[in-house]
């Protein structure tokens, strides 16, 4: 067994209430590393891709990577993977927090969950082994409540849980770790709910062996110094990810009023990281072993959106429940974030679906009767709060939005489709491709739909990081140009996609030099990989997930940006700018080795050692 | 039109005059409080034999002292930004965005980062104006 791994995976069959261990051979680990890449490999090897995402036969996988539990900065991560209930294609969502390291210390590199329990259960994994335990009394409780219950049982438990949204099979449902960390995207909370699995708790104490302790310690020391020297780290610590709000409004990165307005500095000023720091921030918070501490702990003392002290919103949430809804009230964003956390819903998808509804309400496409009598005027956060609750419980108009924006628009009909900003069924995160054309290509080619975390384009195109030691890079990229972006996206994908396999936090990986990360990885595993092999692994990671999606019918026709993004703003940092889709895709397809259907070429699959996938795609 | 040798007092005077002449600057900078020092690391191969220290005083849209100064004066500034000559030149020529340079570690800053982020439009404005000063760069002389 390779160093850095716990050495076994847990297979849980909830139908049979059976838990068994299995192992993955070292050559497979070396090729697919861990996290969501290994998850895709396991899915393709063991399960039919055409399975119904909410059927008992569909697996839910919780995967760590070889760096998790090592103590290296940013390596608290884990990826939850399945076929997405929201999009019907490959689904994955990475998460920080506390769960990943403890799962490793409890003896498992990952968990594969099959079947469906006849009644609600939770899974307990400790040094003594796994147990499936009745959770009937916890069903219906929100994520904060159930997490508190488990913490009262044992303060050392690390809790992964769903809320009412997951129980109600809301297809934008999230899974929460210890209340403040979420696997939000692609609706995997519904997968967990479909299995009657309320929670997983872990507690482990076994040390994970490293191949070269001294080499590791040297790399870790460098990493910590690099964090200390980094202005990005300082900014994230002081302002959280919402540091992007002020900067992004200038560059045209921040979507406003459901992507229809190019700039609004009053909104960004009200919702920014510095404002949160001056108003509601009580302290910064860190995932396990993270010296950056970018998480926000906030408290709203008074007013209609009063909250207890608790996890605060990320930049994405300040976008979806702030600028997107024309809501300047940061307290309202904090409350919406708290409710999404408690109910267990992705704040990007939920806020985007509500923005869609507000636009259609303003246009008269949706009448007041159709939205249960709510006044969905822009910025009406009282109505937003009620709508969040309705979505989580699939009540009335909430049921229309509960499957995500694309399906909501399809149900509503009329001109609704023109107002949905998605790729492959997943709502775009809060980075406007009109301001950054490379991000547009990255959205088109991300394997889980529009996504900013399946690659490192956010870092390279916006200038948070520069990695000339990894690939050819300019010092500065203009956002509003498509020239040269295909190569930037291709290379940034090959490196950035690995963050979800190793597994390491994106932000930390933007801060710490690639050579330091690679040195730590090699010291942990003992593999001595070079950059070329690392980037080859990234290519394999992207390609296996693309193949998964190709098997489900995804082709080049699905690699496109929505109409709204292809309509230029008349004001703001991105005025007059739209990505050159044709140029971007032509250059990217050539680099990636995709044929005109959008399938990986046979020789590319052979180069990457994906022969089984080649057989299935070209049978 | 006269060219000013970069990071000299004449160049700073021209820069200050350009800021004062810009009609957008004063209203944009009305909330800005604090002096800024630029520190340019020596690079003899580029015609910069010694560290250059620059002090610039900004207050509520007005500009005060703009001086080539000593180390102590520079370090007294509210914000101190340090970088290599080639990076400062890239920033002035708009080949490298100053925020990106900061995030990538190509420039270093001491000071209240959230304050800078909140006032990033003002920061970008003065850098934009710097690009308009007709500059003679030491490595091009």
């Amino acid at each position: 067994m390779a160093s850095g791994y716990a050495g076994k995976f847990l297979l849980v069959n909830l139908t049979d209430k059976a838990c068994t261990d299995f192992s993955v051979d070292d050559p497979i680990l070396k090729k697919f590393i861990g996290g969501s890449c290994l998850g895709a490999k396991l899915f393709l090897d063991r399960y039919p891709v055409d399975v119904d995402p909410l059927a008992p036969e569909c697996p839910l996988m919780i995967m760590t990577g070889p760096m998790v539990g090592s103590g290296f900065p940013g390596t608290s991560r884990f990826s939850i993977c399945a076929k997405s209930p929201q999009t019907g294609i490959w689904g994955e969502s990475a998460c920080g927090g506390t769960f990943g390291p403890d799962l490793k210390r409890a003896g498992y590199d990952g968990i594969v969950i099959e079947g469906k329990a006849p009644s609600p259960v939770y899974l307990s994994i400790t040094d003594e082994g796994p147990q499936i335990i009745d959770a009937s009394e916890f069903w219906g409780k929100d994520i904060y409540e159930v997490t508190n219950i488990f913490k009262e049982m044992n303060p050392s438990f690390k809790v992964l849980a769903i809320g009412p949204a997951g129980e109600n099979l809301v297809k934008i449902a999230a899974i929460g770790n210890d209340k403040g960390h979420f696997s939000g995207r692609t609706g995997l909370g519904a997968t967990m709910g479909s299995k009657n699995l309320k929670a997983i708790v872990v507690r482990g104490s076994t040390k994970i062996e490293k191949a070269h302790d001294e080499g590791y310690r040297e790399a870790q020391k460098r990493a910590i110094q690099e964090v200390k020297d980094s202005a990005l780290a300082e900014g994230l610590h002081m302002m959280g990810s919402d540091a992007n709000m002020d900067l992004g409004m200038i560059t045209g990165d921040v979507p406003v009023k459901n992507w229809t307005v190019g700039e609004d500095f009053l909104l960004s000023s009200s919702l920014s990281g510095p404002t949160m720091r001056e108003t509601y921030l009580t302290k910064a918070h860190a995932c396990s072993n993270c010296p950056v501490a970018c998480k926000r702990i906030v408290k709203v003392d008074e007013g209609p959106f009063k909250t207890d002290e608790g996890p605060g919103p990320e930049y994405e949430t300040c976008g979806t429940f702030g600028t997107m809804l024309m809501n300047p009230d940061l307290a309202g964003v904090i409350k919406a974030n708290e409710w999404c956390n408690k109910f267990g819903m992705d704040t990007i998808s939920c806020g985007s679906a509500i923005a869609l509804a507000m636009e259609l309400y303003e246009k008269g496409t949706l009448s007041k009767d159709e939205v249960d009598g709510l006044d969905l005027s822009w910025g009406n956060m009282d109505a937003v709060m009620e709508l969040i609750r309705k979505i989580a419980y699939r009540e009335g108009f909430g049921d229309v939005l509960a499957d995500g924006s694309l399906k909501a628009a399809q149900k509503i009909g009329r001109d609704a489709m023109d107002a949905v900003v998605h790729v492959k069924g997943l709502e775009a995160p809060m980075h406007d491709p009109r301001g950054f054309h490379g991000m547009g290509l990255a959205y088109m080619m991300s394997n889980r739909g529009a996504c900013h975390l399946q690659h490192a384009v956010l870092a390279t195109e916006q200038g948070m990081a520069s990695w000339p030691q990894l690939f050819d890079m300019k010092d500065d990229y203009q956002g509003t140009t498509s020239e040269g972006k295909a190569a930037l996206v291709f290379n940034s994908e090959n490196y950035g996609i690995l963050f979800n396999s190793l597994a390491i936090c994106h932000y930390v990986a933007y801060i710490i030099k690639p050579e330091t990360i690679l040195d730590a990885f090699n010291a942990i595993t003992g593999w001595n990989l070079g950059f070329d092999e690392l980037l080859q692994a990234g290519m394999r990671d992207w390609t296996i997930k693309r193949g998964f999606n190709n098997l489900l019918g995804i082709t080049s026709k699905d690699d496109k940006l929505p109409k709204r993004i292809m309509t230029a703003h008349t004001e703001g940092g991105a005025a007059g700018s739209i990505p050159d889709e044709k140029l971007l895709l032509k250059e990217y397809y050539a680099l990636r080795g995709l044929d005109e259907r959008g399938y990986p070429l046979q020789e590319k699959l052979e180069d990457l050692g994906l022969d089984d996938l080649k057989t299935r795609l070209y049978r | 039109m006269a060219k000013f040798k970069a990071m000299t007092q004449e160049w700073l005077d021209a820069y200050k005059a350009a800021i004062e002449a810009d009609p957008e600057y004063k209203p944009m900078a009305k909330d800005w409080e604090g002096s800024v020092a630029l520190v340019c690391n020596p690079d003899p191969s580029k015609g910069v034999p010694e560290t250059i220290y620059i002090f610039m005083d900004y207050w509520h849209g007005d500009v005060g002292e703009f001086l080539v100064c000593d180390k102590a004066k520079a370090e007294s500034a509210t914000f101190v930004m340090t970088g290599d000559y080639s990076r400062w030149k890239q920033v002035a020529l708009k080949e490298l965005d100053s925020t990106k340079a900061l995030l990538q570690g190509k420039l270093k800053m001491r000071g209240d980062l959230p304050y800078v982020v909140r006032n990033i439009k003002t920061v970008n404005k003065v850098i934009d104006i710097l690009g308009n000063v007709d500059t003679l760069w030491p490595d091009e002389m």
Side-chain angles (χ1 to χ4, degrees):
Chain A
M1 180 197 71
S3 296
Y5 291 88
K8 63 182 191 288
F9 292 78
L10 177 64
L11 177 64
V12 179
N13 187 306
L14 291 172
T15 307
D16 301 336
K17 290 202 169 185
C19 294
T20 51
D21 295 348
F22 71 97
S23 61
V24 174
D25 295 339
D26 279 9
I28 299 292
L29 293 176
K30 201 165 181 177
K31 268 173 80 173
F32 298 96
I33 299 178
S36 61
C37 184
L38 187 58
K41 169 67 175 164
L42 293 178
F43 199 127
L44 280 166
D45 284 355
R46 291 163 171 249
Y47 303 94
V49 293
D50 59 355
V51 66
D52 178 342
L54 297 181
E57 294 76 24
C58 186
L60 177 70
M61 296 173 282
I62 296 122
M63 307 291 287
T64 70
M67 297 184 79
V68 177
S70 66
F72 192 78
T75 56
S76 70
R77 308 288 292 182
F78 56 101
S79 280
I80 304 185
C81 316
K83 186 176 176 183
S84 165
Q86 184 183 3
T87 65
I89 60 172
W90 174 250
E92 66 171 271
S93 189
C95 187
T98 58
F99 187 88
D102 254 53
L103 180 61
K104 287 274 291 278
R105 286 193 281 266
Y108 292 104
D109 290 302
I111 313 167
V112 179
I113 301 159
E114 306 172 344
K116 177 180 181 179
S119 59
V121 294
Y122 73 94
L123 176 63
S124 168
I125 305 170
T126 64
D127 292 334
E128 287 73 46
Q131 274 186 289
I132 300 167
I133 301 167
D134 178 63
S136 300
E137 63 184 306
F138 305 146
W139 204 252
K141 294 194 183 301
D142 72 41
I143 286 178
Y144 285 16
E145 288 172 323
V146 78
T147 301
N148 288 342
I149 289 169
F150 284 119
K151 296 279 185 186
E152 280 168 22
M153 278 185 203
N154 185 335
S156 300
F157 275 157
K158 309 300 186 290
V159 181
L160 200 60
I162 58 169
E167 295 172 7
N168 294 322
L169 308 184
V170 167
K171 291 182 179 174
I172 56 172
I175 301 170
N177 170 211
D178 284 359
K179 300 196 275 190
H181 314 274
F182 283 80
S183 281
R185 306 244 64 195
T186 70
L188 303 178
T191 311
M192 198 158 153
S194 74
K195 297 183 176 307
N196 271 332
L197 180 60
K198 180 67 180 175
I200 305 171
V201 297
V202 297
R203 181 181 54 79
S205 58
T206 305
K207 188 185 173 200
I208 309 298
E209 295 299 326
K210 301 175 182 77
H212 306 296
D213 277 323
E214 195 174 325
Y216 169 77
R217 279 194 297 274
E218 191 276 329
Q220 188 193 37
K221 190 175 165 189
R222 268 192 286 144
I224 290 168
Q225 189 59 48
E226 287 164 17
V227 171
K228 280 183 184 165
D229 291 343
S230 165
L232 177 57
E234 182 188 359
L236 287 166
H237 178 75
M238 298 183 90
M239 295 171 277
S241 57
D242 199 26
N244 185 64
M245 183 63 79
D246 286 304
L247 306 172
M249 193 59 84
I250 290 173
T251 55
D253 189 46
V254 182
V256 179
K257 202 178 184 186
N258 198 31
W259 306 84
T260 60
V261 172
E263 68 179 17
D264 189 324
F265 289 103
L266 286 176
L267 274 178
S268 58
S269 174
S270 306
L271 300 164
S272 70
T275 298
M276 198 185 310
R277 180 177 169 79
E278 290 160 13
T279 52
Y280 305 114
L281 183 76
T282 57
K283 60 188 172 192
H285 179 66
C287 299
S288 295
N289 291 310
C290 183
V292 177
C294 73
K295 295 281 183 175
R296 307 291 85 184
I297 301 295
V298 295
K299 184 168 185 271
V300 179
D301 288 320
E302 54 190 16
F305 304 118
K306 186 175 173 183
T307 65
D308 294 331
E309 186 178 44
E314 302 273 355
Y315 160 74
E316 297 293 331
T317 311
C318 292
T320 50
F321 284 101
T323 58
M324 283 275 280
L325 305 183
M326 301 299 285
N327 163 44
D329 185 352
L330 187 54
V333 174
I334 289 169
K335 193 70 181 175
N337 182 67
E338 182 192 75
W339 279 32
C340 283
N341 285 359
K342 286 182 171 181
F343 293 135
M345 286 194 291
D346 177 34
T347 58
I348 297 176
S349 289
C350 186
S352 297
I354 293 172
L356 169 70
M358 285 185 156
E359 179 178 334
L360 298 177
Y361 181 79
E362 182 187 46
K363 285 178 174 170
T365 305
L366 285 171
S367 68
K368 199 163 188 174
D369 283 349
E370 286 176 287
V371 299
D372 306 336
L374 293 172
D375 172 13
L376 290 186
S377 300
W378 292 109
N380 183 356
M381 290 305 286
D382 289 330
V384 168
M385 299 307 299
E386 177 60 6
L387 199 44
I388 291 171
R389 192 193 63 76
K390 281 173 168 283
I391 294 169
Y393 288 94
R394 284 189 174 277
E395 278 182 21
F397 182 65
D399 189 45
V400 175
L401 302 184
D403 292 335
S405 301
L406 175 61
K407 292 197 177 82
Q410 288 166 340
K411 285 180 215 165
I412 293 164
R414 293 158 278 181
D415 57 351
M417 282 300 292
D418 291 346
V420 184
V421 175
H422 78 99
V423 176
K424 300 183 178 80
L426 189 68
E427 297 89 349
M430 299 294 98
H431 304 283
D432 195 325
R434 288 166 289 194
F436 292 92
H437 293 192
M439 186 59 82
L441 177 60
Y443 284 175
M444 287 191 274
M445 300 314 303
S446 159
N447 285 313
R448 69 173 184 182
C451 176
H452 62 304
L453 295 172
Q454 296 289 299
H455 47 79
V457 175
L458 188 68
T460 54
E461 190 179 29
Q462 299 207 9
M464 281 184 261
S466 181
W467 298 312
Q469 65 273 55
L470 275 183
F471 44 80
D472 190 27
M473 261 192 91
K474 295 197 293 185
D475 275 328
D476 198 347
Y477 286 89
Q478 186 190 342
T480 53
T481 183
S482 298
E483 281 76 29
K485 292 293 177 64
L488 181 70
V489 170
F490 172 74
N491 287 314
S492 302
E493 274 180 343
N494 292 336
Y495 184 49
I497 200 168
L498 290 168
F499 304 160
N500 301 330
S501 302
L502 293 172
I504 185 168
C505 167
H506 276 247
Y507 276 135
V508 175
Y510 300 166
I511 293 162
I512 297 174
K513 292 175 182 167
E515 50 268 38
T516 307
I517 294 172
L518 183 62
D519 286 350
F521 172 77
N522 281 330
I524 290 166
T525 59
W527 283 342
N528 203 26
L529 299 187
F531 280 146
D532 287 349
E533 291 157 297
L534 197 69
L535 295 175
Q536 178 86 344
M539 280 189 248
R540 186 179 298 114
D541 191 333
W542 187 92
T543 305
I544 193 171
K545 293 168 187 169
R546 176 68 172 195
F548 184 101
N549 287 341
N550 290 141
L551 290 168
L552 287 165
I554 291 293
T555 66
S556 51
K557 70 176 171 30
D558 301 296
D559 301 334
K560 62 182 181 187
L561 290 168
K563 182 178 175 184
R564 177 142 298 169
I565 296 301
M566 296 307 291
T567 307
H569 285 304
T570 55
E571 70 286 307
S577 161
I578 56 168
D580 184 341
E581 263 188 317
K582 198 172 167 186
L583 173 76
L584 291 164
L585 287 170
K586 183 184 169 198
E587 292 181 354
Y588 179 89
Y589 266 47
L591 289 164
R592 184 58 78 191
L594 296 173
D595 67 18
E596 61 190 22
R597 297 173 304 159
Y599 277 43
L601 296 166
Q602 295 196 52
E603 55 266 35
K604 176 61 71 177
L605 291 162
E606 288 164 9
D607 283 349
L608 296 171
L610 297 172
D611 298 287
D612 292 349
L613 182 59
K614 187 188 88 170
T615 303
R616 291 170 74 170
L617 286 171
Y618 288 93
R619 65 173 45 146
Chain B
M1 190 172 162
K3 278 198 168 192
F4 303 96
K5 186 181 172 189
M7 292 177 279
T8 60
Q9 188 59 51
E10 295 73 28
W11 179 79
L12 270 180
D13 291 343
Y15 182 28
K16 181 178 174 181
I19 293 172
E20 287 174 323
D22 190 295
E24 292 177 3
Y25 174 73
K26 196 175 177 79
M28 191 179 284
K30 65 180 169 50
D31 296 326
W32 180 273
E33 296 179 351
S35 49
V36 178
L38 307 184
V39 179
C40 177
N41 297 325
D43 186 345
S45 70
K46 300 276 170 58
V48 183
E50 294 175 342
T51 304
I52 300 171
Y53 299 97
I54 286 170
F55 181 93
M56 299 176 291
D57 192 18
Y58 299 95
W59 191 264
H60 292 191
D62 291 325
V63 282
E65 284 185 314
F66 267 46
L67 299 171
V68 176
C69 64
D70 59 17
K71 185 179 178 184
K73 175 78 172 174
E75 289 183 348
S76 72
T78 312
F79 301 93
V80 181
M81 294 193 71
T82 305
D84 292 343
Y85 165 75
S86 56
R87 296 303 182 195
W88 284 120
K89 185 178 173 185
Q90 280 184 299
V91 168
L93 295 176
K94 299 180 189 174
E95 294 168 357
L96 177 61
D97 177 83
S98 60
T99 308
K100 293 176 185 175
L102 193 62
L103 293 175
Q104 294 170 15
K106 290 169 180 166
L107 296 178
K108 300 281 183 191
M109 193 194 80
R110 193 205 72 204
D112 184 347
L113 187 56
Y115 187 85
V116 172
V117 169
R118 175 172 289 299
N119 292 280
I120 193 69
K121 283 174 82 174
T122 305
V123 174
N124 287 348
K125 184 67 185 170
V126 293
I127 291 167
D128 263 359
I129 296 169
L130 176 60
N132 298 334
V133 177
D134 208 3
T135 302
L136 198 57
W137 295 96
D139 61 316
E140 294 173 1
M141 291 165 70

